Amino acid sequence: DTGVSQNPRHKITKRGQNVTFRCDPISEHNRLYWYRQTLGQGPEFLTYFQNEAQLEKSRLLSDRFSAERPKGSFSTLEIQRTEQGDSAMYLCASSASGRENSPLHFGNGTRLTVT
Amino acid sequence: GENVEQHPSTLSVQEGDSAVIKCTYSDSASNYFPWYKQELGKRPQLIIDIRSNVGEKKDQRIAVTLNKTAKHFSLHITETQPEDSAVYFCAATYSGTYKYIFGTGTRLKVLA
């Protein structure tokens, strides 16, 4: 399967702990996105990369959130000092690069529960 | 601002009837509009998309129309089937970037 892969699928953590999620995009895709989705809502944009460059980060995103894509391949999303409000599904997506926009291909997500 | 409004939030139709979901965007520079279907517990999957230089696109029972002047686009599903039941999301790109803003979703229920 050459789709977008996310690990872990589920993460339960206690408030105040740090968590890190990993995303492996489709190999030929240069753009990588992180979204957050809560029940009954659409995916909320967090950040995106083109190769290793982080091109935009949501203004709504707390400083506790940081994402990296050091070699332009896989990406990690870290949440420091987790809060109960961080509980959500974290979706990663990738797309092919080019002058025109191309569809996002989503992974299965990492479901975070903060207790 | 960055905003995509989607209506209705829920929609129930009888099997065989048509369903229409509408979205409105705010950025006149938006140029790409994909639609995603998300079944319970699964990832969003692209079902159809349209670019700003096209007014309508059709793929079997699914069609999308775009009105750039009014800044709205719609998803049309004809001859609905129970397997069409899912949550549908529209999205739009923003300000000449490759960022996608999603609508809040429409839960479609097709009644057999």
Side-chain angles (χ1 to χ4, degrees):
Chain A
D1 185 355
T2 57
V4 177
S5 176
Q6 290 188 246
N7 287 288
R9 291 293 305 274
H10 304 273
K11 178 70 177 178
I12 300 174
T13 191
K14 292 187 176 181
R15 189 178 53 182
Q17 297 295 304
N18 299 343
V19 295
T20 300
F21 310 142
R22 176 177 170 130
C23 172
D24 288 88
I26 293 171
S27 58
E28 59 268 28
H29 284 180
N30 291 345
R31 295 194 189 112
L32 186 149
Y33 299 75
W34 286 99
Y35 283 84
R36 176 170 61 190
Q37 188 176 30
T38 53
L39 197 62
Q41 298 297 314
E44 175 192 4
F45 173 79
L46 297 180
T47 188
Y48 84 104
F49 295 82
Q50 175 140 335
N51 299 313
E52 65 276 8
Q54 187 174 18
L55 295 188
E56 190 166 344
K57 183 177 175 180
S58 170
R59 293 189 301 273
L60 302 176
L61 207 57
S62 158
D63 289 343
R64 297 183 297 105
F65 288 70
S66 62
E68 293 183 342
R69 195 184 184 198
K71 297 182 180 178
S73 56
F74 73 91
S75 175
T76 57
L77 176 69
E78 181 183 18
I79 309 174
Q80 297 181 325
R81 304 181 303 281
T82 52
E83 302 172 356
Q84 287 187 323
D86 297 331
S87 295
M89 175 72 83
Y90 289 83
L91 293 167
C92 177
S94 68
S95 73
S97 63
R99 291 186 63 187
E100 288 194 326
N101 296 98
S102 56
L104 299 183
H105 298 258
F106 283 92
N108 284 321
T110 294
R111 182 170 296 283
L112 173 66
T113 302
V114 182
T115 62
Chain B
E2 301 174 348
N3 192 36
V4 177
E5 294 187 359
Q6 183 171 347
H7 300 281
S9 57
T10 60
L11 179 59
S12 292
V13 299
Q14 289 294 134
E15 182 177 0
D17 287 351
S18 296
V20 180
I21 302 170
K22 299 181 179 181
C23 287
T24 303
Y25 60 99
S26 55
D27 185 356
S28 56
S30 295
N31 59 10
Y32 178 64
F33 308 91
W35 285 89
Y36 287 82
K37 176 183 181 181
Q38 188 174 30
E39 296 179 57
L40 191 62
K42 296 191 175 180
R43 70 182 82 183
Q45 293 200 300
L46 179 78
I47 54 171
I48 196 167
D49 57 7
I50 192 168
R51 300 188 187 277
S52 59
N53 58 350
V54 175
E56 183 173 358
K57 184 176 178 181
K58 192 172 181 181
D59 181 4
Q60 299 182 354
R61 296 186 297 108
I62 295 173
V64 56
T65 58
L66 172 65
N67 183 327
K68 284 193 296 183
T69 303
K71 290 190 278 188
H72 65 72
F73 56 113
S74 300
L75 177 71
H76 305 253
I77 306 174
T78 58
E79 300 171 26
T80 54
Q81 301 167 3
E83 52 265 38
D84 294 331
S85 296
V87 180
Y88 292 81
F89 295 100
C90 62
T93 55
Y94 260 82
S95 296
T97 73
Y98 301 105
K99 179 171 73 174
Y100 297 72
I101 300 298
F102 283 80
T104 50
T106 296
R107 182 172 298 280
L108 174 64
K109 190 177 294 185
V110 179
L111 306 171

